[in-house]
Amino acid sequence: MDQNTMYAAVNTKIASMFGKLLDDEDYRNLLSLKNSQEIAQYLKVNTYYGEFLKDKDPLKMHRGDIERLLKESLVVYMDKLINYFHGEYRSFLKSFYMKYEIYDLKRVARIIHIDKDFDNIKESLVFAGKYKYIDIDRIIKAKSIMELIQALEGTYYYPYLKNLIDGNTKENLYRLEMTLDKIYFIVLGEKLKKLNKKDQRVFINLYGNYIDMLNIQWIYRGKEYYSLSSEEIFNYTVDRGNRFNYKSIKEFCYAKDVGEFIEKIRNTSYGFMFKENKNEDIFMERRMNRFMYFKLKGAKQKLNLDISMLLAYLELKEFEIRDIITITEGVRYKLDGEEIKKYLIKAI
């Protein structure tokens, strides 16, 4: 099957999957609900998530149950799409599982470093170990970041992480998260090189802005919260961005302080990431994701015979799941709908 024929088939499937995503009315209805059980009931009766809830009693579901079910649905839909591809393309798309596996590893790390709540930790992990690269039973026994890294010995993560076993307990969570993200882009970049040139350009066009913004976020955190050296921050940054070259990234990292860094960014097209008195990570993350949301929506509407529709669906599906989790979390803390909207990726 030639690539145009393959993409025509894949895009037809994706178009039907796009048609199932929640619309504005679903979002407004979810925002009006009062607890996790009502959200689970709504999802079961009114949305395509009902197929994953058919054997579940919504009245017995809590926030964690909903989150796991949503993530499991993502695995199912990813599996369906990956089956259309073979060879290097299948390998490239399977590397996206690594992104979500890293989410699970970060969850374990945060539990170890911050929450200290180890109850049901195994049940909360959806992606880690999907292809048996990771021994789940080893990582859930870890009680420190050092032990978690040691539990990853023998995986493709370990060669990059082992240097973090240096006794620095204060910064280990940040450095672990940064290193895991960098590993993902290293692996993805190697897989990307094996795709045709057109799809490589499509990927860079769609994700290059995200890489730019991710570098900005990392540099900001390193300077604002951890006082890392400019050299160390620079070592964590990722290439393949759209706007910033090696020289620009290095200049940002070597800004004398976080104030100078922010001023430099405000003079770029990413100035929207920083607003007066609203530099908190959560708002920065939302701005990044909302930027990508509109960019991916545009790619979806072009119906090109390339990898763009697939990439757009995977990200927009993930954004929807993150929004539902945000709504569920907001309801848990008794926030009203208007307040929860501030934290959503989708503009309502």
Side-chain angles (χ1 to χ4, degrees):
M1 180 187 299
D2 66 62
Q3 286 209 328
N4 284 345
T5 303
M6 177 190 70
Y7 278 127
V10 173
N11 287 354
T12 298
K13 177 66 175 178
I14 293 172
S16 70
M17 294 163 75
F18 267 122
K20 295 180 179 180
L21 294 179
L22 305 189
D23 58 23
D24 289 358
E25 183 179 1
D26 289 315
Y27 269 73
R28 285 191 288 268
N29 289 336
L30 288 169
L31 286 164
S32 72
L33 302 178
K34 303 302 182 186
N35 55 53
S36 298
Q37 292 72 37
E38 287 186 6
I39 290 173
Q41 178 69 16
Y42 183 87
L43 293 173
K44 181 173 183 175
V45 174
N46 300 285
T47 76
Y48 68 106
Y49 291 108
E51 64 180 289
F52 302 98
L53 279 157
K54 60 185 177 183
D55 298 321
K56 306 288 185 182
D57 181 355
L59 297 179
K60 296 180 180 179
M61 296 189 72
H62 299 284
R63 189 201 64 82
D65 303 317
I66 295 173
E67 180 173 348
R68 181 175 181 84
L69 179 139
L70 295 172
K71 290 179 177 179
E72 288 173 345
S73 77
L74 179 57
V75 173
V76 169
Y77 280 92
M78 287 178 70
D79 286 344
K80 287 180 180 179
L81 292 173
I82 285 174
N83 286 335
Y84 280 88
F85 296 88
H86 302 280
E88 300 298 350
Y89 274 78
R90 181 183 283 254
S91 178
F92 170 74
L93 292 171
K94 280 189 174 181
S95 65
F96 278 76
Y97 287 119
M98 185 180 182
K99 172 184 177 181
Y100 302 114
E101 183 172 74
I102 286 171
Y103 286 169
D104 278 352
L105 292 176
K106 288 181 179 179
R107 174 187 285 269
V108 174
R110 286 180 175 274
I111 288 172
I112 289 169
H113 196 76
I114 301 171
D115 300 334
K116 309 295 184 182
D117 181 5
F118 296 93
D119 293 341
N120 303 315
I121 183 173
K122 186 173 184 178
E123 290 72 19
S124 71
L125 306 180
V126 176
F127 301 99
K130 178 172 172 58
Y131 286 101
K132 312 210 183 304
Y133 301 135
I134 290 177
D135 185 337
I136 295 297
D137 290 329
R138 283 190 69 192
I139 68 169
I140 64 173
K141 291 177 182 176
K143 295 296 184 286
S144 68
I145 299 296
M146 181 184 72
E147 289 181 10
L148 176 60
I149 293 171
Q150 291 170 334
L152 291 169
E153 187 171 3
T155 72
Y156 42 55
Y157 298 109
Y158 187 73
Y160 299 94
L161 294 172
K162 63 182 181 181
N163 291 335
L164 301 185
I165 304 176
D166 59 3
N168 186 340
T169 59
K170 180 182 178 182
E171 298 168 4
N172 254 351
L173 177 62
Y174 172 78
R175 295 191 300 161
L176 175 77
E177 291 184 337
M178 296 260 293
T179 304
L180 286 172
D181 285 335
K182 183 157 186 173
I183 294 168
Y184 170 66
F185 284 106
I186 289 171
V187 172
L188 196 63
E190 290 303 313
K191 305 282 188 183
L192 180 66
K193 291 176 184 176
K194 298 177 181 178
L195 306 189
N196 69 43
K197 296 298 183 184
K198 180 181 180 182
D199 282 328
Q200 289 185 42
R201 289 193 297 270
V202 167
F203 179 87
I204 295 300
N205 178 56
L206 287 178
Y207 281 84
N209 293 111
Y210 182 73
I211 292 171
D212 286 338
M213 292 186 290
L214 194 63
N215 280 329
I216 291 169
Q217 184 185 47
W218 285 348
I219 296 168
Y220 171 73
R221 288 179 176 175
K223 288 183 174 294
E224 177 71 3
Y225 300 119
Y226 298 98
S227 301
L228 296 185
S229 70
S230 297
E231 180 180 12
E232 186 168 14
I233 294 172
F234 182 64
N235 287 337
Y236 285 120
T237 57
V238 180
D239 59 8
R240 295 188 181 85
N242 274 347
R243 301 294 178 90
F244 303 141
N245 57 22
Y246 174 95
K247 183 180 178 180
S248 299
I249 292 294
K250 190 169 185 179
E251 181 183 337
F252 295 149
C253 292
Y254 281 80
K256 65 181 180 181
D257 54 36
V258 71
E260 181 180 292
F261 165 68
I262 291 172
E263 284 308 307
K264 288 180 180 292
I265 298 302
R266 283 190 173 133
N267 291 323
T268 73
S269 58
Y270 300 108
F272 65 87
M273 291 180 64
F274 294 101
K275 296 184 179 180
E276 295 296 335
N277 302 319
K278 285 192 175 180
N279 293 334
E280 300 90 342
D281 278 350
I282 189 166
F283 288 107
M284 188 187 300
E285 185 88 15
R286 196 213 67 164
R287 292 173 195 138
M288 291 166 58
N289 289 331
R290 187 165 285 187
F291 178 98
M292 289 301 297
Y293 175 84
F294 287 111
K295 188 175 182 73
L296 293 162
K297 288 275 283 187
K300 165 206 165 186
Q301 292 164 359
K302 292 178 181 177
L303 300 174
N304 291 334
L305 292 176
D306 54 37
I307 204 169
S308 58
M309 279 274 286
L310 174 63
L311 295 176
Y313 176 77
L314 292 177
E315 288 297 315
L316 292 172
K317 165 76 171 169
E318 180 193 337
F319 286 165
E320 177 178 280
I321 287 171
R322 291 172 72 168
D323 274 349
I324 298 172
I325 293 170
T326 296
I327 293 171
T328 308
E329 191 73 11
V331 166
R332 178 186 180 192
Y333 288 105
K334 308 300 183 185
L335 301 181
D336 63 43
E338 290 302 312
E339 183 66 20
I340 296 172
K341 281 183 186 180
K342 297 177 184 178
Y343 301 94
L344 299 180
I345 299 168
K346 182 179 172 70
I348 300 297

